Amino acid sequence: MGEAGEEPVVDLRLDRAHSARIYDYFLGGRTNFAADREAARRILSVFPAAGVACRMNRAFMHRAVGHLAREGLTQFLDIGTGIPTSPNLHEIVQGIRPAARIVYTDNDPIVLAHAAALLRGRPEGRTAYVQADIAVPGSVLAAPELHATLDLRHPVALTLNALLHFIPDDGRDRAHAVVEGLKAALPGGSALVITHGTSDFSPLAMGRVTDIYARAGTPLQLRSAAEFHRFFDGWELLEPGVTLAHRWRPGRPGDPGLPTAAEAACYAAIARKP
């Protein structure tokens, strides 16, 4: 603890690889350190398309929230925000709906250290940051910052991008329970956006990636198409339904430069609540 009145010092453990900083490295960001870059190089040695997969996931997020904003949604709750990388969700959404309101949520002190970058939205709208743990959905839903920014009586777009594969089930189906708790709190007309890593197309390589994350202290549970589909139970999937991230309404269908299924290794979908 610091002196009276001072904020406590947060140990960011820069000597250990961290999933958010590894992701930042793959996106070409600058908030990563030697341990993160070394872990990223090990991942690339067993899965050379890792950077491509991360960029395809990010591009899907841009298309997804842009689509929902054009469809009229003006409230967004982004859980598992990660390190800010421009253009971020609020930049995409408020570029279409300047008065949109966005709440970012993460439990990571690394993200908290960069949260100011998440709050630079359009003056017509509003952005807020909540430090909370998705493993306890109530801590997210009860946050005063959330209720000061979003009105949960009206539709909300809930985005869970590249997050749920970091919630291992441990025999209790935890990830699906978390998502069901969040879905239940949202009114009709809300949207659910999820991306999730999978080993369906390259089990050997992705098994090795899982081992690398485990050695870095981050459990990783990749899920099958059927397991991914269950996250949307009771909601209406938008076309084309569950697919790979780069195949969800791509800007240039049939582009020969798009990755293979094994290279993308990430499912994506959007659903609306009836």
Side-chain angles (χ1 to χ4, degrees):
M1 299 292 290
E3 298 294 330
E6 290 185 358
E7 292 293 325
V9 176
V10 177
D11 181 6
L12 299 183
R13 306 181 77 174
L14 302 183
D15 58 325
R16 295 187 59 182
H18 189 282
S19 58
R21 295 194 302 254
I22 294 170
Y23 189 68
D24 176 75
Y25 174 82
F26 284 137
L27 291 178
R30 298 181 179 179
T31 310
N32 51 80
F33 300 90
D36 310 302
R37 294 189 285 271
E38 175 57 29
R41 284 191 286 269
R42 290 199 300 271
I43 292 169
L44 288 169
S45 72
V46 300
F47 181 44
V52 173
C54 290
R55 291 190 293 274
M56 292 298 99
N57 176 77
R58 188 75 176 177
F60 164 79
M61 184 274 284
H62 291 164
R63 296 196 306 279
V65 300
H67 170 78
L68 293 174
R70 286 188 292 272
E71 288 291 303
L73 270 78
T74 58
Q75 300 193 111
F76 289 76
L77 173 58
D78 182 53
I79 301 181
T81 296
I83 294 168
T85 303
S86 185
N88 221 317
L89 186 150
H90 71 276
E91 297 173 80
I92 301 295
V93 169
Q94 291 181 342
I96 299 167
R97 302 277 177 185
R101 295 180 165 222
I102 294 93
V103 172
Y104 290 109
T105 302
D106 210 297
N107 70 336
D108 193 327
I110 294 170
V111 181
L112 177 62
H114 294 274
L118 297 168
L119 305 179
R120 298 174 187 152
R122 293 288 189 95
E124 306 97 313
R126 185 167 180 179
T127 61
Y129 179 75
V130 173
Q131 184 82 359
D133 190 349
I134 188 181
V136 186
S139 69
V140 175
L141 297 170
E145 300 93 335
L146 185 149
H147 291 279
T149 308
L150 304 181
D151 184 346
L152 299 186
R153 297 171 299 177
H154 298 287
V156 174
L158 169 63
T159 63
L160 303 162
N161 292 301
L163 170 67
L164 295 171
H165 46 234
F166 292 117
I167 302 180
D169 285 334
D170 297 332
R172 293 174 291 164
D173 206 13
R174 293 174 58 218
H176 288 96
V178 164
V179 173
E180 288 303 316
L182 294 166
K183 288 162 62 179
L186 301 180
S190 293
L192 177 62
V193 180
I194 306 179
T195 64
H196 196 297
T198 185
S199 60
D200 281 356
F201 306 99
S202 49
L204 183 60
M206 298 311 293
R208 291 171 175 167
V209 169
T210 299
D211 290 341
I212 292 169
Y213 273 102
R215 288 198 295 272
T218 302
L220 181 67
Q221 182 169 339
L222 304 174
R223 292 183 171 91
S224 67
E227 291 171 310
F228 180 74
H229 203 288
R230 281 185 52 214
F231 288 119
F232 301 93
D233 283 356
W235 291 37
E236 298 172 352
L237 286 164
L238 276 59
E239 292 293 335
V242 169
T243 186
L244 291 163
H246 66 294
R247 294 180 182 168
W248 196 94
R249 304 190 186 186
R252 294 179 295 176
D255 185 342
L258 292 176
T260 65
E263 290 170 330
C266 180
Y267 286 122
I270 303 178
R272 298 291 295 264
K273 186 171 185 175

